[in-house]
Amino acid sequence: MTELTRRSLITTGGAAVLGSSALVLAACAPAPLRPDTDGTNGTDGTRSQVPPDHIPVASPLPPGTELVQVTEIPVGGTASVTVSGQDILLAQPAEGDVVAFSAICTHQGCLVAAIMDEFDCSCHGSRFEAATGAVLAGPAVRPLNPIAVTIAGGAVVIA
Ligand code: FES
């Protein structure tokens, strides 16, 4: 498996860096994965929440799957990576302390982006705390879904 197919894109603090050398700015503009289901565009708070079983869920990646090198995540910052078609958010709140979350927004399933020191969904403006995935601002009310990771040989891998 080539480096490019294993890890197609890494974004750090809003900047996009492709595993090889190209820059993909489209990754900074998340696209909705689901249509607005109630016609409110998510502006009416909890009434627009999609039940958890209706939001697309990524299949678990096998344990040991490498996501990114720890050094590619700024300490106190965030990054995102796409591995095997799955969009994953990462943060390193303290040096050597790495957390990961699904990038699927818990509001209506849009793609959440790593922006500086938090995770933001541009569809309806939900914001999530990087260290915990907790909601900082709605309309989402549920935290991002965590992904268990560990560090092995300087890389962040699925636990
Ligand atoms: Fe509505 Fe993310 S899908 S805020």
Side-chain angles (χ1 to χ4, degrees):
M1 179 176 294
T2 67
E3 180 72 14
L4 187 57
T5 57
R6 182 185 58 77
R7 185 180 60 217
S8 61
L9 176 69
I10 298 171
T11 60
T12 302
V17 179
L18 199 59
S20 57
S21 61
L23 182 64
V24 179
L25 297 177
C28 296
L33 300 176
R34 293 182 48 80
D36 183 30
T37 56
D38 62 2
T40 64
N41 201 28
T43 57
D44 64 343
T46 57
R47 286 190 308 128
S48 65
Q49 298 296 311
V50 175
D53 60 342
H54 286 74
I55 293 178
V57 176
S59 303
L61 293 170
T65 302
E66 182 178 324
L67 302 180
V68 66
Q69 293 294 305
V70 174
T71 55
E72 295 177 281
I73 310 168
V75 175
T78 61
S80 64
V81 64
T82 302
V83 176
S84 299
Q86 297 191 30
D87 298 300
I88 298 172
L89 301 168
L90 300 123
Q92 188 171 192
E95 189 167 351
D97 178 18
V98 176
V99 292
F101 304 93
S102 166
I104 297 173
C105 185
T106 57
H107 177 230
Q108 291 187 343
C110 286
L111 188 62
V112 177
I115 305 293
M116 305 301 284
D117 61 351
E118 64 182 50
F119 302 125
D120 296 351
C121 181
S122 65
C123 282
H124 312 112
S126 290
R127 297 171 39 235
F128 301 89
E129 183 182 35
T132 64
V135 175
L136 294 172
V141 296
R142 294 185 297 271
L144 293 172
N145 291 312
I147 297 173
V149 293
T150 188
I151 296 174
V156 179
V157 299
I158 298 293

